[in-house]
Amino acid sequence: MAQINVVVGDIDGNARKITEWIAKARNAGAEIVTFPELVLTGYPPEDLLLKPQFIDANLRALENLAAATEGITAIVGFVDRHDDIFNAAAIIQDRKIINAYHKMYLPNYGVFDEFRYFQSGKSAPVLRIGEATIGISICEDIWYPDGPAFHQALSGGANLIINISSSPYHAGKRRWRERMLATRAGDNTVIVAYNNLVGGQDELVFDGDSMVFDENGEIVARGKQFEEDLVIADLDVASVFRQRLHDPRRRQNRPETSEVISVSERVRRHDPTKEALPPAHEPLSDDAEIYKALVVGTRDYVLKNGFKKVVLGLSGGIDSALTACIGVDALGKENVTGVMMPSPFSSTGSVDDSELLGKNLQIALMTISISDVLVSYKGALQDAFKAVKPDVTEENLQARIRGNYLMALSNKFDWIVLSTGNKSEISTGYCTLYGDMAGGFAVLKDVMKTTVYRLSAYVNEAAGFERIPTAIIVKPPTAELRENQLDTDSLPPYDVLDPILKAYVEEDRTFDEILEMGFEADLVRRVIRMVDINEYKRRQAAPGVKITPRAFGRDRRMPITNRFRI
C-alpha cells in the first residue's frame, strides 16, 4: 500500500509520484500496489470537479499511468466519467486498464460533500488474480456492515478486501477506525487492506496509518502516521478459505452473486525469505498524534501554497509559544520569525519570556513597539471619541496595530502570517477581528486552551528540556491590553469554559443537557450567547488544522443572521 502525500489539482505531479511508488512496490517484490482515494486529483478536489477540463486531464493522466504497471497490478483512485462522474478506483495491470470500481456510499456530512459532485456506483464486482479473489471499495463503503465488502466476501467469495481511502484525521478517530476495520475483517472472514492518504489539504490533515487485518481481525501490518510509507505485507489468502470451511453461517441466506472479473492467471510472487517484512508501526500517543497533525497540516498548507517562511507575533503567552514550536517543527528554525510588539501594558516578563523562547527555538526575533502608533491612533480619533469613555475599543486598537505590522512584514518579505488564537477564544469571540485574527493560517484554530497546555507539556517532554519556558506555561493568561488584565476578567477559567464549549460546539448539547453536567445556569447561558453572537468573526477567520470531530468552518456551519436562541 503506497501511503503518499499529493497536491490537489497537480495531476501531472501526482501522476509522476504514483509512477515512482509503483516502481518502489515492484522493486520490493509486490504483486499488487494500492493508492489512496482520488490520489490522481488530490482529495478533496471540491469544485474543480465542476470543470470538464479537470476531469479530462485526470483521465489522460490515468491512461499514461498504465505504461508504468508492467509486471504488477495497481489500484489507483481517480475520477471516472460516463454519463456522469464517479469517485473511482482503476484496476491496472501490465499496461492495461482492466476495470474501474465506482464508490457506492457517498458521504455528505461533516467535511464531506460528495453528493454535490458524484453519482454513486451500482455494482460491487470482484477480481480474480491467481489464487486471490479481491473486492475493491472506496473509503465510506467500508463503514457499512452490509456494504460492498459484505457482498464481495460472501457472494463473490473475495478473500481480500482492498479499501482505498482519504479519511481525514481528528483526535480519537484512529481507535474508532481500527475497531471498525477489525470488525469488517472478522465478521466477513476476509483479509482487509486499508490504504489511507497522508498530508495536509487546507483545513484537513490525513494521517495515513494504513492497516492490514487478517481474517480474524488482527493487525498484521500498519503504516506510519502522518508520513509517507510503503506498507508491505504477505497475505495468506488460502487461510481464508480454510477458515471459511468451518463456518456454516456463510452458507445461509446468501445475497445475489457478485460479478467475478478475471484479471490474470499469472501471479508474480514475492519471496518472503528474501528480506524481512517491516513490522507494524506502533501508534503515537494521543498528544503526539495531535501535535504531529498540527505540524503536518501547517507544513503542507505553507509549502503547497508556495510559501517558504512564516512570521508570527510573540506575546510571551502560551498560544504564541506553542505556535512557534509547531512552525519550527513544520518548516525549520531558519524559516520562522517571531515579532515582539510591546505596548505600554506589556510586562517586562512577557518580553523576557519571548526572548528566551526565541533563543530556545533558535529563530529570528524582531522587536517593533506599538506605543507611538497607539498614541497617534488615539490622537486621530480624539475628536470622534470625545465625551465617550475609553473601553474595549482602545484595547482592540492595539491588537489591530499588531495585525497591521505582521501583514506589512508578510507583504514585504513574502512570509505567511501564522495567527495564534485558540479554539476557546475563537468560540467565544475573545479575539479581535483584523487584529490578532489577522493571518494566513490559524494553527490552533481547532485546539482548546486546555489542550494547548497539554501539548505544551508534551513539547517539553519530547524535547527533554524546557523548550517552552515554564514561566510561559504557569503565568495566568492575559492579553495585556490594559493594566493588570487577565483572561478571567472576560471569560470563565479555561478548565470550566472548555467542557461547556465542547458540549455546545462539538456535541450540540442543549442548554438543559449542559446544566445536567453540573454547570450554573447563568454561566452556561453566558457562554452560549458568546458563541452564538460571534459567528460573524469566525466566518472571517483564517483556515486552520482540523483536529476535533467538529471544527469551525467545514464542519460547523451556522448562519450569521440567526435569532434562534436557547
Side-chain angles (χ1 to χ4, degrees):
M1 299 187 293
Q3 175 182 290
I4 63 174
N5 186 347
V6 295
V7 181
V8 167
D10 185 12
I11 293 173
D12 291 340
N14 297 342
R16 285 193 296 272
K17 177 172 275 195
I18 293 167
T19 300
E20 291 168 4
W21 284 71
I22 289 174
K24 288 182 182 181
R26 182 169 44 231
N27 292 339
E31 176 186 344
I32 299 174
V33 58
T34 67
F35 290 87
E37 173 183 19
L38 292 181
V39 68
L40 197 51
T41 61
Y43 187 92
E46 299 185 280
D47 278 12
L48 290 173
L49 292 166
L50 304 181
K51 297 178 180 291
Q53 63 271 33
F54 179 76
I55 310 300
D56 292 344
N58 126 99
L59 291 172
R60 286 194 301 270
L62 184 72
E63 289 286 344
N64 294 334
L65 267 180
T69 62
E70 183 177 1
I72 195 168
T73 302
I75 313 295
V76 179
F78 77 110
V79 181
D80 202 2
R81 182 182 64 191
H82 293 288
D83 57 325
D84 205 339
I85 62 172
F86 300 84
N87 185 337
I91 299 92
I92 315 171
Q93 186 184 67
D94 280 334
R95 301 173 179 247
K96 294 180 181 178
I97 298 173
I98 305 296
N99 207 297
Y101 168 83
H102 294 163
K103 187 175 182 179
M104 299 179 73
Y105 288 84
L106 302 178
N108 215 69
Y109 56 84
V111 301
F112 304 107
D113 203 13
E114 293 198 20
F115 282 165
R116 177 179 174 90
Y117 306 109
F118 295 116
Q119 177 64 262
S120 60
K122 306 302 180 188
S123 63
V126 295
L127 314 173
R128 185 162 289 144
I129 302 177
E131 296 174 5
T133 306
I134 303 168
I136 309 294
S137 62
I138 300 176
C139 201
E140 188 81 1
D141 291 335
I142 198 74
W143 288 86
Y144 290 81
D146 59 350
F150 168 76
H151 293 276
Q152 290 164 332
L154 190 59
S155 67
N159 43 33
L160 167 63
I161 298 295
I162 293 172
N163 181 264
I164 64 169
S165 183
S166 288
S167 178
Y169 167 82
H170 64 71
K173 190 172 185 178
R174 174 178 56 81
R175 294 184 183 89
W176 185 25
R177 185 194 286 151
E178 193 173 305
R179 286 195 301 270
M180 179 275 295
L181 292 168
T183 300
R184 293 294 168 274
D187 281 357
N188 295 295
T189 318
V190 70
I191 298 169
V192 171
Y194 167 83
N195 186 179
N196 195 25
L197 186 67
V198 68
Q201 169 59 27
D202 294 348
E203 304 99 320
L204 303 180
V205 61
F206 300 88
D207 54 328
D209 197 32
S210 301
M211 293 173 277
V212 178
F213 295 80
D214 68 16
E215 63 274 16
N216 298 307
E218 300 293 331
I219 289 183
V220 296
R222 183 202 292 273
K224 297 175 183 177
Q225 290 174 273
F226 303 102
E227 296 181 41
E228 291 188 320
D229 200 6
L230 186 65
V231 186
I232 303 173
D234 278 327
L235 307 181
D236 184 2
V237 293
S239 71
V240 175
F241 180 71
R242 287 195 299 271
Q243 184 159 324
R244 285 175 175 176
L245 290 176
H246 296 274
D247 187 357
R249 295 173 302 169
R250 296 180 54 81
R251 302 182 181 109
Q252 312 302 318
N253 300 317
R254 293 174 67 89
E256 183 179 343
T257 302
S258 294
E259 179 188 5
V260 178
I261 299 168
S262 181
V263 176
S264 175
E265 295 299 325
R266 181 175 62 83
V267 179
R268 184 176 187 272
R269 294 196 182 278
H270 170 67
D271 181 1
T273 64
K274 186 176 180 181
E275 57 181 297
L277 293 176
H281 291 277
E282 288 297 318
L284 300 170
S285 69
D286 291 348
D287 289 342
E289 193 179 87
I290 294 171
Y291 188 79
K292 195 73 177 286
L294 295 169
V295 168
V296 170
T298 300
R299 179 200 68 201
D300 281 4
Y301 188 85
V302 172
L303 298 181
K304 288 181 180 181
N305 282 293
F307 292 91
K308 295 179 181 178
K309 297 178 181 288
V310 298
V311 62
L312 72 155
L314 294 182
S315 66
I318 195 168
D319 296 324
S320 60
L322 180 61
T323 302
C325 286
I326 292 167
V328 168
D329 290 342
L331 302 160
K333 62 188 179 184
E334 67 279 6
N335 294 315
V336 179
T337 298
V339 185
M340 296 174 289
M341 297 170 282
S343 78
F345 305 110
S346 298
S347 67
T348 302
S350 292
V351 175
D352 292 345
D353 292 342
S354 295
E355 289 178 343
L356 180 55
L357 174 75
K359 181 180 178 182
N360 289 352
L361 297 179
Q362 299 180 292
I363 61 174
L365 292 177
M366 291 184 181
T367 301
I368 311 174
S369 173
I370 71 167
S371 296
D372 291 345
V373 177
L374 180 60
V375 171
S376 179
Y377 257 94
K378 288 180 177 179
L381 292 165
Q382 185 174 0
D383 289 343
F385 286 178
K386 64 183 178 183
V388 181
K389 292 181 180 180
D391 55 16
V392 71
T393 304
E394 283 73 17
E395 296 178 25
N396 288 342
L397 283 177
Q398 298 168 65
R400 291 188 173 116
I401 294 167
R402 291 177 171 128
N404 272 321
Y405 281 0
L406 292 173
M407 292 309 299
L409 293 168
S410 172
N411 290 162
K412 182 63 68 176
F413 300 113
D414 199 26
W415 298 340
I416 186 170
V417 176
L418 300 182
S419 59
T420 60
N422 60 65
K423 190 173 187 176
S424 305
E425 295 169 342
I426 293 168
S427 296
T428 56
Y430 190 62
C431 48
T432 304
L433 203 55
Y434 322 122
D436 56 308
M437 291 180 69
F441 197 66
V443 177
L444 304 179
K445 182 179 181 180
D446 199 32
V447 184
M448 294 285 192
K449 185 76 168 190
T450 48
T451 306
V452 169
Y453 281 105
R454 270 179 36 213
L455 294 179
S456 298
Y458 163 77
V459 163
N460 285 354
E461 181 183 356
F465 72 101
E466 290 184 11
R467 199 177 184 202
I468 298 177
T470 298
I472 290 177
I473 296 175
V474 301
K475 73 171 65 172
T478 172
E480 290 192 331
L481 298 177
R482 63 173 184 269
E483 290 288 351
N484 302 315
Q485 183 185 31
L486 296 173
D487 287 8
T488 48
D489 297 339
S490 304
L491 299 173
Y494 287 110
D495 58 354
V496 175
L497 174 63
D498 284 0
I500 298 174
L501 292 175
K502 185 175 188 294
Y504 186 61
V505 173
E506 295 180 10
E507 299 172 352
D508 280 324
R509 292 181 184 264
T510 66
F511 174 74
D512 290 337
E513 288 172 332
I514 300 173
L515 289 186
E516 291 173 3
M517 296 168 62
F519 298 105
E520 296 178 359
D522 287 347
L523 172 62
V524 175
R525 192 174 287 109
R526 176 181 158 217
V527 171
I528 288 177
R529 183 177 185 277
M530 285 191 287
V531 173
D532 288 349
I533 66 174
N534 282 291
E535 184 62 33
Y536 78 100
K537 284 188 180 181
R538 292 188 290 271
R539 197 69 69 88
Q540 299 178 69
V545 187
K546 168 185 164 66
I547 60 107
T548 70
R550 196 100 186 274
F552 291 120
R554 295 178 66 98
D555 269 343
R556 189 179 187 273
R557 310 177 208 176
M558 299 298 291
I560 296 174
T561 306
N562 169 26
R563 291 186 181 178
F564 181 79
R565 297 291 182 261
I566 57 172

